[in-house]
Amino acid sequence: MAAYWIAHVHVTDPDGYGEYARRATGAIEAHGGEFLARASRTVWLEGKQRERNVVVRFPSLEDAEACYRSEAYQEALTFAQGAAERDLCIVEGN
């Protein structure tokens, strides 16, 4: 069963976050991740709005979690720290 990263992001340092995004893309793709939405237009209906929203599909929940915990992704993540406020979860689905 596929799994999805769903991220809601408020960027505070565009340069730092841009470097994170460049580095994270390779790690995500290496784990079978496919971007379905990335900074697309959003209609916010409830909760705390964040201007950047990302949805990535992985082959499985295990692949999605392995990507997050991978050395390459963790290295990329160091560029997001201090450059953004983020919420990220993994959701299993179709």
Side-chain angles (χ1 to χ4, degrees):
M1 182 175 288
Y4 301 84
W5 276 12
I6 301 174
H8 306 291
V9 183
H10 170 65
V11 177
T12 57
D13 174 2
D15 292 334
Y17 198 78
E19 186 61 27
Y20 154 77
R22 282 186 288 284
R23 291 171 181 255
T25 297
I28 290 166
E29 291 173 349
H31 286 85
E34 174 189 3
F35 287 92
L36 301 180
R38 196 174 193 179
S40 303
R41 279 182 31 180
T42 303
V43 176
W44 205 261
L45 300 175
E46 294 185 24
K48 184 175 181 176
Q49 182 175 352
R50 303 270 174 102
E51 70 273 5
R52 185 173 178 87
N53 299 281
V54 180
V55 179
V56 180
R57 179 177 49 219
F58 288 88
S60 69
L61 188 131
E62 291 77 15
D63 290 318
E65 186 174 2
C67 178
Y68 183 84
R69 298 190 188 290
S70 72
E71 185 176 321
Y73 186 78
Q74 288 299 307
E75 180 181 333
L77 194 55
T78 65
F79 291 89
Q81 295 166 347
E85 298 169 9
R86 302 169 7 118
D87 295 307
L88 172 67
C89 68
I90 301 172
V91 177
E92 194 172 48
N94 299 326

